[in-house]
Amino acid sequence: MTRAASVVEPTLRRARLGVSLIFMTNGILIGNLAPRLPDIREGLDLSYGGLGVAMAMWPIGSLGLGLLAGALIRRFRSSRVAVVSMIASALAMLMGGSTSSVIVFGAALFVVGVTDAWVDVAQNSHGLRVQRLYGRSINNAFHAMWSLGAVLGGLMGGLAAGMEVPVRWHFVGMAVLVVAMNLVAYRLLLKGPEPQDIVEHGADEAAMPHASRLRRMPGRLWLVLLALSLIAIGGGWAEDAAATWSASYLRDELSASATIAALGFVSLQGFQFIGRLTGDRMIDRFGQRAVARAGGALVVLGMGLALAFPSVWGTIAGFGAAGIGIATIIPGAFHAADEMPGLKAGTGLTVVSWLLRLAFLLSPPIVGLIADATSLRVGLAIMPVLGVVVFLLAGVMAPRKHAPSPSPAPL
């Protein structure tokens, strides 16, 4: 090992830890919110549809002002944007959990949506810097840390709900933890100016599609991009359903305790974490097409059986099956879109990413309105329906790559 390598390597390890901490706190934030949504809904005296509309303020903020992420990173660097935005997001969540006003709650979620979009681009941009210097893929591990943070946050939220800790004081503790972890993370991150190509790539992931690029796309490519978008939406809708509605469904319709009700979200995120750790090996062995089809089938079977034969533990198991099923669906759809022949770099990824964000905007109000008209059980039935869509459309994804024939073993 050279002297230079011995100096750089500890710096990279620290930077990797710093990025991992930011990803984890991003998951902790939503993990703490999910189990407390039934209490927040009751405190604000909202119907399911009203809660769904309020929750839609999150993606509205993300879509509306998330485009500023690239400019902020160019001006202030990804490390600063990620940490400051993460701290601002935690404080906005605290404001949302401390209010008795629906308007203030919606405004707080709008700010959370804006800052969450900035964190998303900045943490991925900095993670790409670290990955490039590492010389090998470590990005999936960062996203696994997000899932781990969501599990930890869900357990924290479930415990606080079971102990009947007021949402305000629960979120004070959550905010203190998130702020402290990000202050530690900032000291570990890479120094110096941001590489321009990484900034542009990260910003493009959060951007609206560029009209100048899209007008020249032939119809066949549009159909493939639409199929990949629906696959990503199938995974995203399941994740959003667990975050927004699983605790309410388990508490209100299946009479679970507040702590047990948190396990629906924890189950999905926990098994998604496992799926992300093992997903790359599965894709290398069987191909993205087969893995996506199996994932869609798991969502159909898991949530289909759970909704057809409702029980507390069956529903928790169903969310777990959905979690491992969707683990690689969104990254796989993004990867397939980014590598589509005939498109400029980033165009396919941008289209699929933007349509997925639009689906996150529509998901909470649609499920909420269906729940008001019928029940949450019926509203959640969209999950297995979209699992069928994933299964049927997975043919647009890459099959298994044939490995080269092994060389003869030496005598």
Side-chain angles (χ1 to χ4, degrees):
M1 180 180 295
T2 65
R3 178 178 175 81
S6 66
V7 173
V8 171
E9 189 175 341
T11 302
L12 288 180
R13 287 201 299 266
R14 288 195 297 270
R16 181 176 182 176
L17 175 59
V19 176
S20 297
L21 288 175
I22 298 174
F23 269 88
M24 179 179 285
T25 55
N26 197 220
I28 285 173
L29 194 73
I30 190 173
N32 274 276
L33 174 66
R36 302 314 303 262
L37 284 174
D39 297 316
I40 292 173
R41 185 177 70 84
E42 291 176 5
L44 297 175
D45 194 25
L46 289 172
S47 65
Y48 290 126
L51 178 63
V53 172
M55 291 298 294
M57 294 303 295
W58 186 317
I60 287 174
S62 175
L63 285 167
L65 297 177
L67 303 177
L68 297 176
L72 290 172
I73 293 172
R74 283 189 291 271
R75 176 67 178 84
F76 299 107
R77 300 208 301 259
S78 60
S79 56
R80 295 169 181 169
V81 173
V83 169
V84 172
S85 298
M86 194 64 245
I87 291 173
S89 193
L91 296 178
M93 187 74 79
L94 171 59
M95 180 178 70
S98 303
T99 185
S100 58
S101 166
V102 175
I103 294 176
V104 174
F105 178 66
L109 289 184
F110 179 88
V111 175
V112 172
V114 173
T115 51
D116 180 66
W118 295 348
V119 171
D120 190 34
V121 177
Q123 67 185 3
N124 277 287
S125 292
H126 207 83
L128 288 171
R129 285 187 66 185
V130 177
Q131 177 174 270
R132 171 175 290 181
L133 294 172
Y134 253 79
R136 58 184 174 87
S137 177
I138 57 174
N139 198 44
N140 283 331
F142 291 141
H143 289 271
M145 293 302 293
W146 187 96
S147 297
L148 180 59
V151 170
L152 294 175
L155 293 173
M156 290 169 58
L159 182 62
M163 297 174 63
E164 299 184 353
V165 177
V167 176
R168 174 181 301 177
W169 294 112
H170 165 205
F171 280 14
V172 166
M174 177 271 297
V176 169
L177 175 63
V178 169
V179 170
M181 291 178 67
N182 276 270
L183 292 177
V184 171
Y186 180 70
R187 297 177 61 85
L188 302 174
L189 299 176
L190 297 174
K191 313 300 180 185
E194 206 73 23
Q196 189 64 23
D197 57 338
I198 291 181
V199 175
E200 292 175 352
H201 179 75
D204 203 39
E205 291 186 21
M208 292 178 64
H210 303 293
S212 61
R213 295 180 183 178
L214 302 185
R215 282 196 294 266
R216 295 191 294 269
M217 284 175 51
R220 182 185 63 82
L221 293 183
W222 268 113
L223 291 175
V224 174
L225 281 179
L226 177 60
L228 291 172
S229 298
L230 289 173
I231 290 171
I233 288 168
W237 200 294
E239 191 170 327
D240 183 69
T244 306
W245 303 113
S246 62
S248 292
Y249 175 61
L250 284 161
R251 285 176 67 168
D252 298 347
E253 297 191 12
L254 300 182
S255 301
S257 68
T259 300
I260 297 299
L263 296 182
F265 173 79
V266 170
S267 178
L268 182 138
Q269 290 295 339
F271 279 96
Q272 185 181 65
F273 171 70
I274 295 171
R276 284 176 170 172
L277 288 180
T278 60
D280 288 336
R281 291 194 295 274
M282 293 297 100
I283 291 169
D284 287 342
R285 182 172 182 180
F286 301 108
Q288 182 65 68
R289 180 182 300 173
V291 172
R293 280 181 175 153
L298 280 172
V299 175
V300 174
L301 292 174
M303 287 307 300
L305 290 173
L307 295 171
F309 306 99
S311 68
V312 171
W313 293 106
T315 299
I316 292 170
F319 275 111
I324 201 166
I326 67 173
T328 64
I329 285 178
I330 294 178
F334 281 178
H335 183 260
D338 199 39
E339 293 197 339
M340 282 182 60
L343 294 181
K344 289 185 178 180
T347 301
L349 175 62
T350 302
V351 172
V352 174
S353 177
W354 190 81
L355 289 175
L356 177 60
R357 290 177 182 272
L358 187 62
F360 277 125
L361 168 62
L362 299 176
S363 171
I366 289 175
V367 175
L369 291 172
I370 292 173
D372 281 341
T374 54
S375 66
L376 265 177
R377 182 184 175 194
V378 175
L380 291 174
I382 298 177
M383 286 178 65
V385 171
L386 287 173
V388 173
V389 171
V390 171
F391 183 87
L392 294 176
L393 295 180
V396 300
M397 306 184 87
R400 182 177 63 178
K401 295 180 180 179
H402 295 288
S405 300
S407 302
L411 296 177

